[in-house]
Amino acid sequence: MSAAELEATATAMVAKGKGILAIDESTPTIKKRFDTINLESNVENRRAYRDLLITNPGGNEFISGMILYDETLRQSCSDGTPFVQALVDQGILPGIKVDTGAKAFALHTGEKITEGLDGLRDRLAEYKTLGAKFAKWRAVISIGENIPSHACIEANVHALARYAGLCQETGIVPMVEPEVLMDADNTIERCYEVTEMTLSALFKALDSQDITLAHVILKTNMVIAGKQCPIQADVQEVADQTVRCLLNNVPAELPGIVFLSGGQRAELATAHLNTMNANNPDLPWPLSFSYGRALQETCLNAWGGKKDNLAVAQNALLHREKCNSLACRGAYNPDMETLSGNA
Ligand code: 5MM
């Protein structure tokens, strides 16, 4: 892929009113999701669920790309069409998760380092032949007593930059994901501080490894209080703090920024994105979504592992995709939720 093609892919990923559907749950994570609907996590059930998500009629109006897991990238729809082909036929960009997970960070209790650099050049070359246009790597930063450490942030952003370089060398757009977790009891101010440290270190690492920012998409967390914090910021404050943090730390030449949902309620994740876009029409980059749980949860529950529920599950997914598409334009209204399930 030439530089122009990389740029075109990155721009298409954040096309106006479109976002990314993250369906790259690793095998242990999808098992956790299936446990909630009492469904066995076997190869066929995982394939059937991803089939439902990938072939959702009308989804391509709101979705520019999907992030797949290695197993999914090699699977096919019920009619035999490979998933990658089914995406291409709908004008949706196939993406692939290439990290091999966040593991305990040596000598740093409670912190994680994402692994997967060994052999990555060869894996990326294969993913490219299988049709992947972009690749995602997620670093996990926890907030707690005396954490995150400088060492943890530095190790993770260094790995993100190395993966981004290998992607660009292969002709694949890197979607770099530093996720500051929202599970603890920290305030929104502390989340701002940690997100700022992380993003600032990330862009230094990308710069020092000569990564072309015009060919990178940032996937990040919103600036938000931890779930256990007694004081939860309102929608306006989350939107304001998130935009302020991004403006202070993300270079303008980046083609786009997408958010993870991180365990937020689906409707709240949509409302936050909407307020950011409604109040800030002149940002240097498009702000969009790359949610996993906040797009899939209602769909997964509606499906429940039963073929008969396919249409209602797909409709639930389409509804969330449409609401978030509107949020990219600042045109979402929570009243639309009363139509829940009716895209
Ligand atoms: C879909 O979940 C992704 C995979 O997670 P694991 O590697 O832990 O199985 C995850 O990376 C996801 O893409 C992002 O965290 C966004 O998902 P949420 O649910 O936070 O929007």
Side-chain angles (χ1 to χ4, degrees), residues 21-30 32-33 50 67 69 97 99-102 136-140 175 177 179 181-182 219-220 259-264 269 290-296:
L21 174 57
I23 58 169
D24 58 313
E25 296 87 357
S26 56
T27 307
T29 302
I30 196 70
K32 274 193 229 155
R33 306 282 183 262
R50 267 67 182 253
I67 317 170
Y69 185 55
K97 182 229 294 293
D99 65 71
T100 56
K136 192 201 84 174
W137 177 291
R138 173 171 168 256
V140 178
M175 175 191 259
E177 181 184 8
E179 175 175 5
L181 295 180
M182 54 173 282
K219 171 164 175 168
T220 188
F259 293 103
L260 57 94
S261 56
Q264 296 178 54
S290 173
Y291 301 150
R293 285 163 289 180
L295 285 172
Q296 291 185 51

Side-chain angles (χ1 to χ4, degrees), residues 143-155:
I143 300 183
E145 214 182 322
N146 300 322
I147 62 171
S149 63
H150 179 70
C152 178
I153 291 177
E154 285 305 315

Side-chain angles (χ1 to χ4, degrees), residues 266-319:
E267 295 169 15
L268 200 53
T270 309
H272 287 146
L273 178 63
N274 184 65
T275 303
M276 288 182 223
N277 281 312
N279 292 353
N280 301 279
D282 297 319
L283 293 171
W285 356 253
L287 295 185
S288 182
F289 58 93
S290 173
Y291 301 150
R293 285 163 289 180
L295 285 172
Q296 291 185 51
E297 206 166 56
T298 49
C299 169
L300 180 69
N301 291 335
W303 179 55
K306 298 192 175 69
K307 265 191 195 154
D308 288 352
N309 296 335
L310 182 72
V312 70
Q314 288 188 322
N315 210 31
L317 175 65
L318 200 62
H319 177 69

Side-chain angles (χ1 to χ4, degrees), residues 179-253:
E179 175 175 5
V180 176
L181 295 180
M182 54 173 282
D183 302 331
D185 62 358
N186 58 278
T187 61
I188 186 170
E189 288 80 13
R190 179 69 179 140
C191 180
Y192 184 101
E193 240 172 58
V194 174
T195 304
E196 174 153 276
M197 283 193 288
T198 305
L199 291 178
S200 137
L202 172 66
F203 286 100
K204 272 190 202 121
L206 293 176
D207 180 57
S208 75
Q209 292 189 42
D210 301 317
I211 307 303
T212 305
L213 289 188
H215 306 160
V216 170
I217 296 293
L218 173 68
K219 171 164 175 168
T220 188
N221 55 283
M222 296 180 192
V223 174
I224 195 165
K227 275 189 212 156
Q228 318 294 332
C229 179
I231 302 166
Q232 291 292 317
D234 62 18
V235 171
Q236 186 67 54
E237 192 179 358
V238 171
D240 287 351
Q241 299 295 350
T242 303
V243 168
R244 186 165 70 90
C245 192
L246 295 175
L247 283 170
N248 286 340
N249 295 287
V250 180
E253 64 257 50

